[in-house]
Amino acid sequence: MRTQRQVIDYSLQRRAVLRDVRNGQVGALEVCDASPYLRNAATYHGEPTDERCPICRRDNLTLVHYVYGEELKNSAGQARKLAELPVLAMTLREFQVFVVEVCRSCAWNHLIERYVLGRDGLVESDTDTPLASHGGEGRR
Ligand SMILES: [Zn+2]
């Protein structure tokens, strides 16, 4: 997305949790604790993926996008469809997106990444060449 910025990736933490589960240090039940709300969000607002659940391997993972920010007012903390995010990003100046993966079979869930969207990011990306975001030399 054009205004995406301040991306924080949680794949290292996710890998550490999965390693602990495989080692038996953490029980699968402890990490497969998606709340009914999260599972509902996955059903109604989730983005299907081709990736198998790393715990049960019965179902593909679903990504749920939660939005947070003062400008969202009452809808802060709600799950949104991925297709709704570009619209919000053109309407609001700045809001946070938290991406959570959920397995609808076993209730495995983990934060994947978070980032900021919104019109405030346009000034910078308009002066940049699109898709020039390889590497990180000198850029934020
Ligand atoms: Zn699963």
Side-chain angles (χ1 to χ4, degrees):
M1 245 165 283
R2 267 171 88 211
T3 66
Q4 189 182 45
R5 55 202 187 267
Q6 295 173 37
V7 182
I8 302 171
D9 182 275
Y10 291 92
S11 53
L12 280 181
Q13 289 90 330
R14 176 185 186 269
R15 228 176 293 157
V17 170
L18 290 173
R19 192 178 50 226
D20 286 348
V21 171
R22 281 188 198 117
N23 291 343
Q25 284 174 310
V26 172
L29 279 178
E30 286 175 56
V31 294
C32 297
D33 60 351
S35 69
Y37 298 106
L38 179 53
R39 296 172 85 161
N40 263 335
T43 303
Y44 296 108
H45 305 285
E47 202 63 34
T49 72
D50 294 329
E51 201 185 334
R52 280 271 147 186
C53 170
I55 301 289
C56 71
R57 303 202 177 276
R58 281 196 303 260
D59 207 348
N60 286 350
L61 295 169
T62 303
L63 298 182
V64 180
H65 298 78
Y66 283 104
V67 293
Y68 290 89
E70 278 177 34
E71 291 170 88
L72 288 158
K73 307 240 166 28
N74 289 338
S75 52
Q78 288 183 355
R80 291 300 181 105
K81 285 198 162 72
L82 186 59
E84 295 177 71
L85 295 183
V87 181
L88 277 180
M90 288 301 111
T91 315
L92 304 175
R93 292 184 60 198
E94 182 174 300
F95 61 99
Q96 292 265 355
V97 182
F98 287 73
V99 187
V100 179
E101 70 175 24
V102 190
C103 171
R104 289 162 62 194
S105 282
C106 72
W108 153 257
N109 63 105
H110 202 275
L111 181 62
I112 294 300
E113 62 174 358
R114 57 185 274 193
Y115 48 82
V116 174
L117 289 180
R119 284 190 283 115
D120 276 2
L122 281 178
V123 182
E124 190 190 2
S125 49
D126 274 356
T127 54
D128 267 342
T129 326
L131 303 175
S133 52
H134 57 83
E137 66 283 352
R139 304 182 68 228
R140 279 193 294 134

